[in-house]
Amino acid sequence: MRISSLTGLRGVAAVSVLLYHIPHNPAFEAFRLPLFSRAYLAVDLFFILSGFVISFGYHDRVVNHLGRASYVDFLINRMARVWPLHLIVTLVFMARIVLNISGSQAIALDAPNILTNLLMVQSWGWGTEPIAGNSWSVSTEVAAYLIYPLIAIIAFSRWAWVQGLLCVGILGLVALSGRGSSGPLDVNDSDSVLTLLRCLAGFSLGVLSYRCAEKAWCRRLIDRTGAFAMICALIALALLLPGKADLLVVCLMPALVLSCYYNGTAARAVMANPVSFHLGLISYSIYLWHPLVRDVFARGMGVAHRHGITGFDGLIVLAMLVATWLLCWASYALVEVRGHRFIKWLQRGGRSRKPVVEAAA
């Protein structure tokens, strides 16, 4: 079951990351958009969303009925969701490095890097690097999946408030570490456990948000007319604060997730419209593929400039965005959906899924 506004929110977050990353290639420096200068925080929104949505879908099966079978089924479902695309993107990025398609060979294709990337543990703090740059966050989420039952058990216990304070404290520690590149919380170093802690803290905030979702006080506070607009305005104001108040922005994000979960009129209009929803469906592909498309087009633009072809940079950026969308749409249908089905087919021992009527019987 999908909550349309949450799906759309994921799409908006993925596009924000894309627009944030475009000027990271020097060829597109002129297309830097101040509105998205801190969109690295959209990754923290991804973490919170994951904790919330996974709790929505799996809390009863994994926590209330915790057992070996339910836990293994949960992990297989999560791997079926994230591993096929991660594998394909990693292999393509390896080919990019070998063939120097985009003019960059920054990652060493040695045994530790290759092995940890294939196992999706490359960003757990032991110095290996993500071959497909953005995959660092997917790797840290795998760690969150592994300990999800523990996170959820604490989140639904009387110690939930301690967990919440600990999450905020960890994010504060990450922000104060001095390791952020574009801002205090923009920490994704491959040689630091802070990257992993950033994910676990955000993921845990998402699980805690799910616990609050059905509380009467939470509904009275957030499920009301004007709440979605007010939350968006507060986040926008926090983004404008001097000193880059990243921690404040992230602390406001659970309220945004809850507002989308309640699916009010304003949230549906912004997040559940056909465009946002479609972008949400392909958001994982957008997140992983867009750096490669950007760099290929940047190199192509450089070649055009060397041959005296100028004045078309805007059209090249537009073509890059269209190419990204087409690639990600195909990637979602051919890799994500089919990869998930294939792994679930293997889990069933190669048997087709039983008809719904039989399953009910």
Side-chain angles (χ1 to χ4, degrees):
M1 176 182 177
R2 294 186 188 275
I3 301 171
S4 54
S5 293
L6 289 179
T7 300
L9 179 59
R10 186 177 293 275
V12 170
V15 171
S16 298
V17 173
L18 181 155
L19 295 174
Y20 163 72
H21 277 149
I22 285 176
H24 280 48
N25 189 303
F28 296 127
E29 174 64 31
F31 295 91
R32 184 177 299 277
L33 299 174
L35 179 64
F36 297 97
S37 63
R38 295 170 67 191
Y40 55 84
L41 293 174
V43 178
D44 298 280
L45 179 56
F46 282 137
F47 295 148
I48 294 169
L49 265 170
S50 290
F52 188 95
V53 172
I54 285 172
S55 294
F56 175 79
Y58 292 100
H59 178 264
D60 183 63
R61 279 182 284 171
V62 177
V63 179
N64 293 341
H65 299 90
L66 182 61
R68 180 179 176 276
S70 62
Y71 178 62
V72 170
D73 184 64
F74 163 71
L75 291 180
I76 291 175
N77 272 301
R78 295 317 303 160
M79 290 302 102
R81 174 70 183 90
V82 300
W83 188 74
L85 181 60
H86 179 276
L87 173 65
I88 296 300
V89 172
T90 297
L91 293 176
V92 170
F93 271 67
M94 288 171 63
R96 165 197 179 181
I97 294 170
V98 171
L99 300 175
N100 196 23
I101 292 174
S102 61
S104 175
Q105 302 186 66
I107 306 298
L109 293 182
D110 53 25
N113 276 341
I114 293 174
L115 181 61
T116 54
N117 274 270
L118 293 179
L119 295 176
M120 296 182 68
V121 298
Q122 65 268 29
S123 297
W124 288 13
W126 34 52
T128 51
E129 298 178 275
I131 292 172
N134 286 348
S135 67
W136 69 266
S137 64
V138 186
S139 170
T140 58
E141 277 205 29
V142 170
Y145 301 156
L146 288 170
I147 62 172
Y148 170 69
L150 176 61
I151 293 173
I153 287 170
I154 298 173
F156 280 79
S157 74
R158 61 179 180 175
W159 299 105
W161 65 274
V162 177
Q163 186 181 29
L165 290 176
L166 183 61
C167 290
V168 175
I170 288 173
L171 289 172
L173 176 66
V174 173
L176 292 172
S177 67
R179 287 177 169 263
S181 52
S182 297
L185 266 177
D186 188 23
V187 175
N188 51 37
D189 297 337
S190 58
D191 62 345
S192 171
V193 73
L194 291 175
T195 301
L196 181 60
L197 292 177
R198 177 187 175 188
C199 168
L200 294 177
F203 186 91
S204 298
L205 285 177
V207 179
L208 288 165
S209 300
Y210 178 73
R211 176 182 177 173
C212 296
E214 300 306 326
K215 300 291 185 182
W217 62 265
C218 188
R219 280 195 173 272
R220 285 196 302 269
L221 184 65
I222 297 177
D223 189 13
R224 59 169 63 193
T225 303
F228 175 77
M230 179 64 71
I231 293 165
C232 291
L234 288 173
I235 291 175
L237 287 173
L239 288 169
L240 294 173
L241 286 176
K244 296 190 181 294
D246 287 3
L247 182 58
L248 176 58
V249 175
V250 174
C251 288
L252 289 169
M253 285 176 175
L256 178 61
V257 171
L258 285 164
S259 182
C260 290
Y261 171 69
Y262 294 140
N263 219 21
T265 303
R268 287 199 307 273
V270 177
M271 300 298 178
N273 62 73
V275 174
S276 296
F277 186 78
H278 171 73
L279 292 172
L281 289 180
I282 65 173
S283 58
Y284 183 37
S285 285
I286 291 174
Y287 183 71
L288 287 185
W289 281 119
H290 77 262
L292 177 63
V293 181
R294 175 203 62 192
D295 291 347
V296 170
F297 270 79
R299 191 168 193 190
M301 190 168 76
V303 172
H305 286 179
R306 286 196 296 273
H307 287 81
I309 303 173
T310 58
F312 298 96
D313 292 3
L315 288 176
I316 291 174
V317 170
L318 180 61
M320 176 189 68
L321 294 176
V322 172
T324 302
W325 168 59
L326 291 173
L327 171 63
C328 294
W329 192 2
S331 172
Y332 170 74
L334 300 177
V335 180
E336 293 188 58
V337 173
R338 293 191 178 188
H340 183 276
R341 289 174 181 169
F342 180 68
I343 291 178
K344 294 300 293 179
W345 178 78
L346 290 177
Q347 184 186 12
R348 295 191 298 269
R351 296 186 300 273
S352 299
R353 182 179 296 174
K354 292 181 179 180
V356 175
V357 175
E358 283 189 32

